[in-house]
Amino acid sequence: MPETMNQILVLLVFIVPGFIVIRVKRIAYPRAEEATLSIVLDSLALSSLVHAICFPIWYWIYASRSYATAPTLFVLQVFVILLLVPVLFGILFNFSVRTDKARWLREFLYFPHPDPTAWDYHFRKGRAYWIWLTFKNGQVMAGLFGPNSFAGSFPNRQDLYIEKLLSLDEHGKVKSLIENSAGALVRMDDLDRIEFFEIGGVKV
């Protein structure tokens, strides 16, 4: 822990902005906790990027001597650099990483995908499907994974809420939606396979 004012200032200026960027990114793209040294180094690198982006503000502070002539304005400027810009940078990352250009750049640079698992990648799309679940005991369940359904995401348990269930015959063919069905909760630990089908591709 920092013990002197200089150490506190170093922490605020060179670590905190990058740490905020990391935390904002992980709101949308959670990851397993890393070693402290790795987090510090990543925070330092991202803080340097934040300060590079904010160089015009730092230069204006130096040129205008706002730290001496306008303390209130100086505090506001520092707040923007150390807190507001890192938050906006993290939000921008979370939005832009889903674009086709970001995907091309990520693949070109061999960067890992921000989604930690294939489960998160697929369910983040937010699309509706008919879904077939094969349990480890061989039982099959089918239903609608739609706008009122839910899939747990990393690092929480991978489980599913399916909003409507389908009635199947002895051959696994769809008969109809189960009347008054309110769905079902399913744990990934109990499943052997999950299959997805386009809504228009299955007649109910």
Side-chain angles (χ1 to χ4, degrees):
M1 294 294 292
E3 298 178 354
T4 67
M5 183 56 67
N6 286 339
Q7 290 175 332
I8 293 173
L9 289 176
V10 169
L11 178 67
L12 284 173
V13 173
F14 294 104
I15 301 297
V16 170
F19 184 77
I20 292 174
V21 174
I22 291 173
R23 286 302 167 186
V24 173
K25 286 168 53 184
R26 289 185 179 179
I27 292 175
Y29 295 94
R31 300 188 68 84
E33 289 298 328
E34 301 173 5
T36 301
L37 179 59
S38 177
I39 294 175
V40 170
L41 292 176
D42 288 345
S43 298
L44 182 60
L46 288 170
S47 294
S48 300
L49 181 59
V50 169
H51 290 309
I53 294 172
C54 295
F55 175 77
I57 302 177
W58 281 123
Y59 181 79
W60 191 86
I61 291 174
Y62 171 78
S64 65
R65 295 176 57 86
S66 61
Y67 52 87
T69 60
T72 302
L73 178 60
F74 172 68
V75 170
L76 179 60
Q77 291 166 330
V78 172
F79 171 81
V80 168
I81 295 173
L82 299 186
L83 294 175
L84 184 58
V85 170
V87 169
L88 293 177
F89 190 81
I91 293 174
L92 178 63
F93 171 87
N94 289 340
F95 278 103
S96 63
V97 75
R98 304 177 190 179
T99 64
D100 291 337
K101 290 183 178 179
R103 178 180 179 179
W104 177 88
L105 182 61
R106 184 178 64 250
E107 293 176 351
F108 178 77
L109 297 175
Y110 296 99
F111 285 171
H113 196 282
D115 281 311
T117 67
W119 176 285
D120 292 86
Y121 168 77
H122 183 75
F123 285 110
R124 188 184 295 277
K125 297 176 182 178
R127 296 177 59 185
Y129 297 96
W130 295 116
I131 185 170
W132 259 246
L133 308 173
T134 302
F135 291 82
K136 292 178 180 178
N137 62 7
Q139 179 185 357
V140 177
M141 177 188 293
L144 172 65
F145 187 89
N148 296 316
S149 301
F150 182 79
S153 59
F154 181 88
N156 301 310
R157 177 186 295 174
Q158 294 177 327
D159 54 9
L160 290 173
Y161 168 64
I162 304 167
E163 62 189 75
K164 296 288 183 182
L165 293 181
L166 294 169
S167 175
L168 305 176
D169 63 19
E170 62 274 15
H171 302 293
K173 298 292 183 66
V174 176
K175 295 166 60 178
S176 64
L177 277 170
I178 297 177
E179 188 176 357
N180 298 322
S181 171
L185 294 171
V186 182
R187 297 189 311 167
M188 182 59 185
D189 293 342
D190 298 329
L191 295 175
D192 180 59
R193 183 172 69 251
I194 304 177
E195 299 172 83
F196 301 90
F197 296 88
E198 300 291 343
I199 293 294
V202 177
K203 294 182 179 181
V204 177

